[in-house]
């Protein structure tokens, strides 16, 4: 029997890949982001203790349209340059193994459902995205990496249902799996003309006070383990454009009991702004059903 040994929401913002000098300039000389030390602490305090075989990364920067797409290749090696931000994210090296065996189990399991659409791609030309690469850079220590895209037209029920399929597939495997939701909270940017003025990390630079308010409400509920309330808030939260339609969280929630999931979150960073968007690292240890 395989098992899920933990879940997290982790920010992958390009800021974490920039030189310290550039980050300090962005933050107006008021100190550095907490996201980088947060990832390092998460690796040593959490991941080093879990003896996981595979990290499943729900990549909210990888947008799919007709199905949930699983990257089923066996190895990844090269240099990543982001088509969105080639000035900031260029020639980032990566070298890690995938988990084609688990991908195949997910593929086979999904065939038993008529309301969940899954495609496992083994195409050698399939792009990878910085939502995966940035986390691998800080967290990978030899674990297999299985990256899954986020349907840009998915509804909460689609993500939750896929999470249920994923849990069934993991149960059939022999893997110890950590679920990593790679993405942010509210996700609306300042205009191109204004965005450079609002790069500092203080939450006061969120796109609107209302966006900050809903993000902080979501964080408070997650800290209390009230995942049912978070799921119920999705119609309101979605009006603030959460990254990846918050699929990177909802797929984990679906895999861990949906509204019955009761694991209390632990913050591994402060709540920060990034060009108007909300970012935080949160870990859910020993996920359990209520």
């Amino acid at each position: 029997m395989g098992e899920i040994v933990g879940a997290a929401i982790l920010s992958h913002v390009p800021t974490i890949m920039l030189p310290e000098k550039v980050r300090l300039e962005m933050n107006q000389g008021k100190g550095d982001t907490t996201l980088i030390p947060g990832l390092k602490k998460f690796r040593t305090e959490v991941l080093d203790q879990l003896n996981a075989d595979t990290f499943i990364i729900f990549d909210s920067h990888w947008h799919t349209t007709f199905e949930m797409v699983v990257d089923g290749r066996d190895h990844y090696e090269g240099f990543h340059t982001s088509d969105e931000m080639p000035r900031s994210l260029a020639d980032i090296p990566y070298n890690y193994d995938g988990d084609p065996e688990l991908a195949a189990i997910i593929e086979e399991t999904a065939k038993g459902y008529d309301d969940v659409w899954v495609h496992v791609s083994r195409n050698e030309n399939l792009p990878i995205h910085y939502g995966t690469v940035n986390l691998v850079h800080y967290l990978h220590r030899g674990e297999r990496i299985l990256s899954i895209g986020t349907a840009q037209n998915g509804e909460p029920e689609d993500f939750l249902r896929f999470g249920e399929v994923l849990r069934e597939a993991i149960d059939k495997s022999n893997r110890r799996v950590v679920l990593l939701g790679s993405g942010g909270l509210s996700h609306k940017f300042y205009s191109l003309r204004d965005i450079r003025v609002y790069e500092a990390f203080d939450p006061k630079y969120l796109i609107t006070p209302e966006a900050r308010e809903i993000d902080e409400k979501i964080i408070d509920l997650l800290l209390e383990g009230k995942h049912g309330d978070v799921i119920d808030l999705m119609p309101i939260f979605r009006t603030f454009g959460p990254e990846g339609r918050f699929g990177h969280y909802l797929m984990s929630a679906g895999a861990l009991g949906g509204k019955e999931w009761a694991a209390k979150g632990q913050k591994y960073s402060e709540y920060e702004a990034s060009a108007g968007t909300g970012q935080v690292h949160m870990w859910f240890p020993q996920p359990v059903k209520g």
Side-chain angles (χ1 to χ4, degrees), residues 32-82:
D32 204 350
T33 176
T34 66
L35 297 174
I36 293 174
L39 286 172
K40 293 177 178 178
K41 184 178 181 182
F42 178 62
R43 175 68 233 191
T44 58
E45 287 191 358
V46 176
L47 298 181
D48 282 355
Q49 320 306 319
L50 290 178
N51 194 30
D53 302 301
T54 300
F55 296 162
I56 291 181
I57 298 179
F58 301 119
D59 189 333
S60 64
H61 218 267
W62 175 12
H63 309 298
T64 68
T65 306
F66 280 89
E67 57 252 326
M68 304 298 184
V69 181
V70 178
D71 192 334
R73 291 171 287 180
D74 62 356
H75 187 72
Y76 307 81
E77 185 172 356
F79 296 87
H80 176 68
T81 294
S82 165

Side-chain angles (χ1 to χ4, degrees), residues 43 52-55 95-97 139-145:
R43 175 68 233 191
D53 302 301
T54 300
F55 296 162
N95 185 350
Y96 57 91
D97 289 332
L139 302 180
H140 181 247
R141 299 291 186 275
E143 299 86 358
R144 300 177 181 93
I145 304 294

Side-chain angles (χ1 to χ4, degrees), residues 40 134 259 281:
K40 293 177 178 178
N134 290 4
K259 290 186 177 183
H281 298 322

Side-chain angles (χ1 to χ4, degrees), residues 7-139:
I9 300 171
L10 301 174
S11 174
H12 63 233
V13 287
T15 308
I16 65 177
M17 306 302 288
L18 296 175
E20 181 181 10
K21 181 177 183 294
V22 176
R23 299 194 306 266
L24 293 175
E25 290 172 352
M26 290 172 58
N27 203 34
Q28 304 169 354
K30 297 177 181 178
D32 204 350
T33 176
T34 66
L35 297 174
I36 293 174
L39 286 172
K40 293 177 178 178
K41 184 178 181 182
F42 178 62
R43 175 68 233 191
T44 58
E45 287 191 358
V46 176
L47 298 181
D48 282 355
Q49 320 306 319
L50 290 178
N51 194 30
D53 302 301
T54 300
F55 296 162
I56 291 181
I57 298 179
F58 301 119
D59 189 333
S60 64
H61 218 267
W62 175 12
H63 309 298
T64 68
T65 306
F66 280 89
E67 57 252 326
M68 304 298 184
V69 181
V70 178
D71 192 334
R73 291 171 287 180
D74 62 356
H75 187 72
Y76 307 81
E77 185 172 356
F79 296 87
H80 176 68
T81 294
S82 165
D83 56 355
E84 178 197 3
M85 303 184 70
R87 174 173 57 87
S88 302
L89 296 176
D91 301 322
I92 299 170
Y94 59 87
N95 185 350
Y96 57 91
D97 289 332
D99 197 338
E101 294 86 0
L102 181 54
I105 297 172
I106 296 169
E107 182 177 46
E108 188 61 30
T109 302
K111 292 178 181 178
Y113 293 80
D114 59 9
D115 61 344
V116 178
W117 303 274
V118 176
H119 172 67
V120 175
S121 177
R122 300 170 178 89
N123 189 311
E124 64 180 13
N125 296 313
L126 183 70
I128 60 173
H129 301 269
Y130 70 73
T132 294
V133 172
N134 290 4
L135 293 191
V136 167
H137 176 82
Y138 283 99
L139 302 180

Side-chain angles (χ1 to χ4, degrees), residues 136-195:
V136 167
H137 176 82
Y138 283 99
L139 302 180
H140 181 247
R141 299 291 186 275
E143 299 86 358
R144 300 177 181 93
I145 304 294
L146 187 67
S147 188
I148 298 176
T150 306
Q152 63 182 338
N153 49 353
E155 298 297 331
E157 184 62 22
D158 297 316
F159 296 120
L160 292 167
R161 286 288 286 150
F162 174 73
E164 293 174 13
V165 172
L166 185 62
R167 176 59 180 263
E168 183 178 336
I170 292 169
D171 286 347
K172 294 175 183 176
S173 76
N174 63 353
R175 301 291 197 256
R176 288 174 57 82
V177 174
V178 178
L179 304 178
L180 301 178
S182 177
L185 300 171
S186 63
H187 208 72
K188 293 185 178 181
F189 293 100
Y190 287 98
S191 69
L192 183 62
R193 187 168 297 274
D194 295 331
I195 196 167

